[in-house]
């Protein structure tokens, strides 16, 4: 972990295990925090492999409560899930960029309803990705390939949209993550433009920060954004394999590379699989690697504690930060320092 001013967040623990079914994740892409203090992580699987696609339910103490959802195009099924959000009624909303729809599961994880079809017209979708609720409990959906954000009622009624293709202020280029602040402002991870943009609750452009690069305060393909009640902005800087924190004016505060330790689920697995545990004990988990370039992907792929594909970042009501890492099948959790 590197800091510029002070340690803003500190590592707590990790939850996760690479599995294609049951307790664990398989290339997870997003996590939602429920009103019931449970966590809901959606796994995308890999390269269209139908195994592993599901939403896993667990809590901060690593207690496992089951899964719901599966691969397919029928009701309650998913092909390429991309985002997940929970409403105040305990329902789970999952975006799917293959079927171009939003699927809603009830409080028991059973299929409730869905909406969406391929297209570029109002209410149509082309690669929906990040999802989040605004302060009125309407669903904000990032329409990735249409370079815009659409707003729907919880029943799928189209309400409004904002954004268009480009790189000027207020324009978007393959946006991915989204969040709404407690004040109602909307923040979008403008993936291809390497920046975060801030909009009013009505979709009017307010500000942006971040520029393309690898130095502190610079971004490369940001995939997720969260805002705390004090206005600090947290970014999953996916292309740089890190999380960055900015103050309310966009000033750099902290950069985090990851500090993962073994999860309780992993420890239970190793207690049973003794040969794998022994091999792990002998392994050098932080090798001294001769790098051919300064690409952080190379470093993250060899050093296990580091983030590797930090796709999603969420904050809970206590200020804890949850970082979903797709390539390491886990969630790293941080507390306020």
């Amino acid at each position: 972990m590197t800091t510029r001013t002070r340690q803003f967040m500190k590592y707590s623990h990790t939850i996760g295990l690479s599995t294609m079914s049951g307790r664990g994740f398989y290339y997870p892409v997003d996590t939602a925090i429920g009103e019931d203090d449970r966590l809901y992580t959606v796994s995308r699987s890999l390269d269209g492999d139908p195994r592993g696609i599901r939403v896993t339910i667990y809590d901060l103490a690593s207690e496992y409560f089951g899964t719901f959802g599966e691969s397919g195009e029928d009701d309650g099924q998913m092909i390429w899930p991309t985002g997940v959000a929970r409403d105040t009624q305990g329902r789970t909303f999952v975006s799917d960029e293959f079927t171009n729809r939003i699927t809603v599961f009830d409080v028991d994880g059973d299929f409730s309803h869905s909406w969406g079809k391929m297209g570029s017209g109002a209410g149509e979708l082309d690669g929906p990705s990040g999802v989040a609720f605004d302060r009125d409990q309407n669903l904000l959906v990032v329409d990735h390939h249409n370079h815009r954000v659409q707003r729907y009622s919880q029943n799928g009624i189209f309400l409004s949209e904002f954004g268009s293709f480009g790189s000027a202020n207020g324009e978007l280029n393959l946006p991915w993550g989204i969040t709404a602040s407690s004040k109602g402002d909307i923040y979008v991870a403008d993936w291809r433009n390497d920046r975060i943009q801030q909009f009013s609750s009505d979709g009017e452009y307010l500000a942006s920060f971040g520029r393309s690069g690898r130095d502190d305060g610079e971004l490369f393909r940001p995939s997720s954004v969260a805002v705390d009640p004090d206005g600090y902005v947290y970014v999953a800087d996916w292309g740089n394999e890190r999380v960055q924190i900015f103050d309310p004016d966009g000033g750099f505060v902290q950069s985090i590379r990851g500090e993962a330790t073994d999860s309780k689920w992993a420890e239970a697995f190793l207690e049973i699989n003794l040969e794998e545990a022994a091999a792990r004990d002998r392994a050098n988990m932080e090798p001294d690697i001769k790098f051919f370039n300064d690409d952080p992907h190379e470093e993250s792929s060899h050093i296990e504690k580091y983030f590797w594909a930090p796709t999603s970042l969420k904050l809970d009501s206590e200020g804890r930060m949850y970082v979903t890492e797709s390539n390491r099948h886990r969630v790293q959790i941080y507390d306020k320092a």
Side-chain angles (χ1 to χ4, degrees), residues 134-262:
D134 66 14
R135 61 181 175 183
D136 297 320
Q137 284 296 292
N138 295 312
L139 188 69
L140 300 167
V141 180
V142 177
D143 194 3
H144 182 65
H145 292 292
N146 283 324
H147 315 286
R148 65 185 178 184
V149 173
Q150 297 198 67
R151 192 192 318 260
Y152 297 86
S153 73
Q154 294 183 18
N155 292 323
I157 298 172
F158 171 77
L159 300 175
S160 62
E161 66 177 81
F162 64 88
S164 60
F165 175 72
S167 58
N169 290 338
E171 296 178 336
L172 302 166
N173 190 346
L174 298 176
W176 192 264
I178 191 167
T179 194
S181 73
S182 58
K183 297 179 180 179
D185 289 348
I186 299 167
Y187 293 73
V188 179
D190 192 3
W191 189 83
R192 189 60 182 81
N193 282 325
D194 301 323
R195 64 187 178 187
I196 301 299
Q197 294 206 70
Q198 180 184 358
F199 299 85
S200 72
S201 59
D202 296 325
E204 295 296 321
Y205 170 80
L206 297 176
S208 66
F209 61 88
R211 61 182 184 273
S212 184
R214 301 200 184 280
D215 292 338
D216 289 344
E218 298 178 337
L219 300 169
F220 188 64
R221 309 299 187 258
S223 59
S224 186
V225 58
V227 182
D228 71 15
D230 296 320
Y232 284 80
V233 181
Y234 304 67
V235 180
D237 190 7
W238 178 85
N240 284 322
E241 304 285 7
R242 65 185 176 186
V243 166
Q244 294 201 75
I245 303 171
F246 299 83
D247 67 25
D249 297 320
F252 171 78
V253 173
Q254 183 179 7
S255 176
I256 304 172
R257 283 299 310 275
E259 298 183 51
T261 51
D262 289 348

Side-chain angles (χ1 to χ4, degrees), residues 85-151:
R86 295 270 294 179
D87 70 6
T88 55
Q89 299 177 49
R91 297 182 299 183
T92 305
F93 293 66
V94 180
S95 54
D96 185 336
E97 66 172 331
F98 183 92
T99 61
N100 292 297
R101 70 185 179 195
I102 306 298
T103 296
V104 184
F105 299 88
D106 66 20
V107 67
D108 297 317
D110 296 323
F111 172 76
S112 173
H113 61 282
S114 65
W115 74 83
K117 65 177 181 178
M118 174 69 176
S120 58
E124 297 175 338
L125 297 165
D126 187 1
S129 52
V131 289
F133 286 99
D134 66 14
R135 61 181 175 183
D136 297 320
Q137 284 296 292
N138 295 312
L139 188 69
L140 300 167
V141 180
V142 177
D143 194 3
H144 182 65
H145 292 292
N146 283 324
H147 315 286
R148 65 185 178 184
V149 173
Q150 297 198 67
R151 192 192 318 260

